[in-house]
Amino acid sequence: MTISTSIPARMDVTLPLGKVRCMNCAGKITQALQVLDGVETVAVDTQNARLSGQLDLAKIIETIETLGYEAGYQHDLPLAGLSCGKCVAKLKSVFAADPRIAQFEVSKTRAVVLGALDQDALTALIQSAGYQVPLSEHPDDQETSGQQARSDAAAHLQNAETAPEAPATTATVSDSPNEADADSHYFLISGMTCASCVSSVEKAIRQVDAVSAVSVNLAERTALVQGEIDPESVIRAVSNAGYGAELSEDERTRRERQQAQNSAVYRQHLINAGLALALGVPLMAWGVFGGSMMIDSVTSQWSWGIIGLLTLALLVYCGGHYYRDAWKAFLHHRASMDTLVALGTGAAWFYSMFVVLTPEWFPAQARHVYFEASAMILGLITLGHALETKARGRTSKALEKLIDLQPQTAILVDDQGEREVPLAEIKPGMKLRLRPGAKVPVDGVIETGESYLDESMLTGEPVPAHKKPGDELHAGTINQSGSLLFIARQVGNQTLLARIIGLVRQAQSSKPELARMADTISAIFVPTVMIIAIVTATIWYYVGPDPVSIYMLVTATTVLIIACPCALGLATPMSVTVGLGRAAEHGILIRHADAMQLAAGIDTVVLDKTGTLTEGKPVLTHSHYYGEYTEEQVLTLAASLEQGAEHPLAKAIVAAAKAQSLPLKTLSQFHAQPGYGVSGQVETHNILLGNRALMVKEGIDTACQEADALTLSDDGATAIFIAIDGQPAAVFGISDPLRADSGEAVARLQAKGIEVIMLTGDTERTAKAIARQAGITKVIAGVLPDGKSEEVRQLQQSGKHVAMVGDGINDAPALAQAEIGIAMGSGSDVAIESAQLTLVRHSLHGVADALELSSATLRNMKQNLFGAFVYNTLGIPLAAGILFPFTGSLLSPVIAGAAMALSSITVVSNANRLRLFRPGSAQYQTTTLTDNKGGLE
């Protein structure tokens, strides 16, 4: 369940009411609403509540429901046009930005909304976001007022179950954190060897009913399939296409199964390569050091015939899968890397055996055998696959370390005492024991005990966090000292750690624009190579020297072998997999690989002020006192007046009094004056607390307070005037302090040539004061949330590539408008679905880290693609014999096989260099998410 966190907006609203039976009930509601902050006028009857002012709709509905009544329009609408979690996040952002919506829940197929919008208005809002509301499945209207019985959807919205309420200043994740991924399925794919295979598997899966999206990762041999599908239908489709597939139920099972497959494949490749090279190397050495490779006698026929049979056995045992897969590809009317290998090695063997059996059919100079070529090509390519498999096993180390953070057992506390049970048996609501030094098994809330927990694996913060009763715990964090008793809240795939792992896994299966371009080329690459080989052979047949059969064979075989698109298929998936895993280690969650490519081109970073540059928690920082009242007296009376208020400034005053252990007095009267402040009576004193306008309105002379108030504003603090019994008593300065590392992070961004802009709704004087402290020169102040996106749009129209950084859902329109939206988050309140990038640790260094890592990943992808394209672009002409007129020699098929294998190894090794990437923040922050000690290696 998500609560809209829009800043209260000035509006007039009419809310339908339910269970209001008389005007006495209406009077109770009127009294309760009149004291709410921002409410200017209230008119309530038995049918409706009409209000005006700066209204917090969620608070108003909550107040009415607390009295036992119902309020607001409740909708449960079907949706169409939402194809992925990104669409869900976009619609949530639209709802969250609308002040007329109090609560909402969105999936790909339904929207449950509570607020002041009737059905027509809500439908129009959904359509403005680019989605549709199909005709209702039910004949009766789904719009219900408070007078009607609430639907099941209403109950779903109102029942928060056991989940703790999220702070109003941060975006919350729905009750089902994996809702966006609820219809996502992971499959382990076997039999893929190149980018052409990727295209074939994706095409086969897309033909399955109900599949909305599919992404196949060659580097990991996995397929992410989205849609309400029958997994068996996907497995059948992949099998019919000539490949293998099995469903991966969870991350740990998937990893164990994948590791087992990789180990088995690696061992088999090594065995096959050893056998092939054991035959091929002596044969090649024989030819290199002067041995005859010609058929010139019966003895040579017998000798080479035996070697030919040995080579055939080798091709069947060690290379049989190439021929089987090539045959499957042929049956499915496609060509792959296996096709090229099978044609190349097969052509060399058949030609050689034909020469052995019928040498008289060939001119004397054409009676050359190439058994060593078949054996060496097979051995080198298989050795390359073995090394590639070994290197691929290292690409997901970052993700595997995250998976290893969660223990497999938990200590359950029940009527039978304390006992250790498997994690799968833990359910929400169970009571668990956490001993010193142990890892937290599931997300929960502390019931008894205090301790310090190392949360560096989630937040990147090296300082242990002090936890006490009521505080939240997160799976994978480490208890350092005391024993804790806590209640399980989120278990299994609903824990924050599981959500992070799932997000990284989903992003690793996505493809940036560069990868899609490579896939498009790869889909036609193999057939093109086969055509080039045929054309090459034809040209040599007509213009080549005698014996033309040898030149045709060598050139065509070499073209087939050297052009295998293994490197092309691995170029981008390897970089994406390693880069996203490395980002997760540094607390940077990336929803889609496209975001990394976009982030690499950012030249302007727009920062929200509150909660992004600053702590987001106002505190009393300055105070000036006048007249006969002491500091203790003024602070006690002010805090007593504000003790029941919800405003952040009021909480800062109360917190300051509690920090000094000042006793709060009895409040006998309280009156909120929207736009001015508050007033009331504490014991025998009449108190005024608010802005300068309140003092002027009440006839208080503020001459003695003006200078201090102006100084406070220049320092970035909000000046709060206080008068006691008609006399000026104090001016409080309340400010939201700058985060300790914000200045350093801004300097890092500026050092990279990135323009940093502050965008805030605060006053220009306060905003500029904070900007000076952070080292920011350009400030856009006084902008409401709905105006932030327009400011971002104007920057884009001026040619800027903008990244918007905000603290969650309040900045959702601007986050969606920017090329890259970066949400600041912490703990379970991380705004995973509000932006393309989310920073788990609440530090602006994460923004610089994300941009640096994105640039490094994009650079790595380009290096891999450049190598793969240049290799094939140069290799094919060389293999076709373009240098023969100048050198008089051709490229050996064996050299081509070695080069092809080397290209794949080079791409994989280059991608794994990203594992060594350390962002510039290393000098400020060395702790990463890899382990409890911090650091990468």
Side-chain angles (χ1 to χ4, degrees), residues 13-320:
V13 68
T14 300
L15 288 176
L17 299 176
K19 298 184 180 179
V20 182
R21 297 177 175 84
C22 62
M23 290 306 296
N24 188 34
C25 299
K28 291 181 181 178
I29 296 175
T30 302
Q31 290 179 351
L33 297 181
Q34 282 177 334
V35 299
L36 293 182
D37 290 344
V39 175
E40 295 177 4
T41 64
V42 180
V44 181
D45 56 32
T46 58
Q47 302 292 324
N48 299 290
R50 298 175 181 82
L51 304 97
S52 64
Q54 287 186 304
L55 305 179
D56 182 346
L57 203 59
K59 185 66 176 177
I60 290 169
I61 292 176
E62 179 186 355
T63 301
I64 295 173
E65 292 180 340
T66 301
L67 297 173
Y69 308 107
E70 295 174 343
Y73 292 101
Q74 174 67 55
H75 307 282
D76 183 6
L77 297 179
L79 298 176
L82 284 77
S83 59
C84 61
K86 199 170 184 180
C87 297
V88 174
K90 179 182 176 182
L91 189 56
K92 286 184 176 180
S93 298
V94 171
F95 285 168
D98 196 314
R100 299 167 297 174
I101 294 178
Q103 299 177 22
F104 60 86
E105 185 148 10
V106 181
S107 69
K108 292 179 186 176
T109 57
R110 305 207 72 80
V112 181
V113 180
L114 174 64
L117 291 175
D118 60 22
Q119 185 165 318
D120 290 340
L122 180 60
T123 300
L125 182 64
I126 294 172
Q127 291 173 343
S128 70
Y131 307 111
Q132 297 81 44
V133 179
L135 293 176
S136 174
E137 308 101 310
H138 306 290
D140 45 331
D141 191 359
Q142 293 187 30
E143 175 183 320
T144 62
S145 73
Q147 293 174 300
Q148 297 171 311
R150 291 288 172 124
S151 65
D152 291 340
H156 183 62
L157 266 176
Q158 292 173 343
N159 292 336
E161 303 207 2
T162 56
E165 186 178 7
T169 55
T170 50
T172 61
V173 183
S174 65
D175 289 335
S176 300
N178 293 321
E179 175 186 59
D181 305 328
D183 56 355
S184 297
H185 304 269
Y186 279 101
F187 295 87
L188 299 180
I189 307 297
S190 58
M192 292 194 304
T193 55
C194 65
S196 181
C197 298
V198 171
S199 178
S200 299
V201 173
E202 287 186 346
K203 182 178 179 181
I205 295 176
R206 283 196 183 98
Q207 294 174 349
V208 177
D209 291 340
V211 170
S212 59
V214 58
S215 181
V216 177
N217 189 319
L218 176 64
E220 293 210 320
R221 272 50 173 185
T222 59
L224 171 63
V225 183
Q226 294 181 326
E228 298 178 357
I229 61 170
D230 174 16
E232 288 299 323
S233 63
V234 173
I235 293 174
R236 282 195 301 272
V238 174
S239 178
N240 292 337
Y243 302 93
E246 60 179 278
L247 183 64
S248 175
E249 294 294 344
D250 59 73
E251 279 300 319
R252 190 172 295 275
T253 302
R254 180 207 61 78
R255 184 187 64 156
E256 292 172 353
R257 184 76 180 95
Q258 202 168 38
Q259 285 179 338
Q261 282 186 350
N262 283 346
S263 297
V265 169
Y266 175 66
R267 287 194 301 270
Q268 190 61 52
H269 279 332
L270 281 183
I271 294 172
N272 292 345
L275 292 174
L277 293 176
L279 178 63
V281 169
L283 290 178
M284 176 167 281
W286 171 263
V288 170
F289 293 106
S292 174
M293 309 289 285
M294 306 295 290
I295 302 298
D296 51 13
S297 65
V298 174
T299 302
S300 62
Q301 276 185 278
W302 279 101
S303 301
W304 285 109
I306 293 172
I307 291 174
L309 292 176
L310 289 175
T311 306
L312 177 62
L314 191 72
L315 294 178
V316 171
Y317 178 77
C318 299

Side-chain angles (χ1 to χ4, degrees), residues 430-447:
M430 287 184 172
K431 188 176 297 186
L432 305 176
R433 172 70 67 186
L434 184 64
R435 292 170 179 164
K439 292 181 179 179
V440 180
V442 298
D443 289 3
V445 177
I446 298 175
E447 186 176 76

Side-chain angles (χ1 to χ4, degrees), residues 243-408:
Y243 302 93
E246 60 179 278
L247 183 64
S248 175
E249 294 294 344
D250 59 73
E251 279 300 319
R252 190 172 295 275
T253 302
R254 180 207 61 78
R255 184 187 64 156
E256 292 172 353
R257 184 76 180 95
Q258 202 168 38
Q259 285 179 338
Q261 282 186 350
N262 283 346
S263 297
V265 169
Y266 175 66
R267 287 194 301 270
Q268 190 61 52
H269 279 332
L270 281 183
I271 294 172
N272 292 345
L275 292 174
L277 293 176
L279 178 63
V281 169
L283 290 178
M284 176 167 281
W286 171 263
V288 170
F289 293 106
S292 174
M293 309 289 285
M294 306 295 290
I295 302 298
D296 51 13
S297 65
V298 174
T299 302
S300 62
Q301 276 185 278
W302 279 101
S303 301
W304 285 109
I306 293 172
I307 291 174
L309 292 176
L310 289 175
T311 306
L312 177 62
L314 191 72
L315 294 178
V316 171
Y317 178 77
C318 299
H321 61 281
Y322 291 118
Y323 300 96
R324 289 191 298 272
D325 291 341
W327 178 249
K328 290 179 182 177
F330 173 75
L331 293 178
H332 290 89
H333 311 292
R334 67 169 188 269
S336 67
M337 187 206 78
D338 298 317
T339 306
L340 301 183
V341 174
L343 286 175
T345 57
W349 185 87
F350 274 109
Y351 176 86
S352 301
M353 187 56 75
F354 201 32
V355 170
V356 169
L357 296 176
T358 57
E360 65 275 8
W361 289 16
F362 297 86
Q365 66 270 34
R367 297 173 184 176
H368 193 290
V369 292
Y370 292 94
F371 293 124
E372 90 288 352
S374 294
M376 285 296 292
I377 290 170
L378 184 64
L380 290 172
I381 290 176
T382 307
L383 179 61
H385 285 335
L387 297 176
E388 173 198 316
T389 301
K390 186 72 171 177
R392 278 195 292 109
R394 295 196 296 267
T395 60
S396 293
K397 288 295 183 183
L399 194 60
E400 291 173 5
K401 289 174 182 176
L402 289 178
I403 296 172
D404 288 336
L405 288 171
Q406 190 162 21
Q408 293 305 295

Side-chain angles (χ1 to χ4, degrees), residues 569-591:
L570 291 169
T572 53
M574 291 295 297
S575 298
V576 168
T577 300
V578 178
L580 289 167
R582 196 73 180 106
E585 289 184 277
H586 285 274
I588 304 164
L589 305 183
I590 301 174
R591 295 192 60 79

Side-chain angles (χ1 to χ4, degrees), residues 731-770:
V731 170
F732 285 168
I734 298 179
S735 63
D736 185 7
L738 191 72
R739 290 187 176 276
D741 58 359
S742 289
E744 292 174 343
V746 168
R748 278 184 63 196
L749 291 169
Q750 292 170 337
K752 290 169 60 66
I754 295 174
E755 182 180 10
V756 181
I757 300 173
M758 179 197 288
L759 180 62
T760 178
D762 211 337
T763 63
E764 186 169 357
R765 182 187 292 270
T766 302
K768 287 186 174 180
I770 295 294

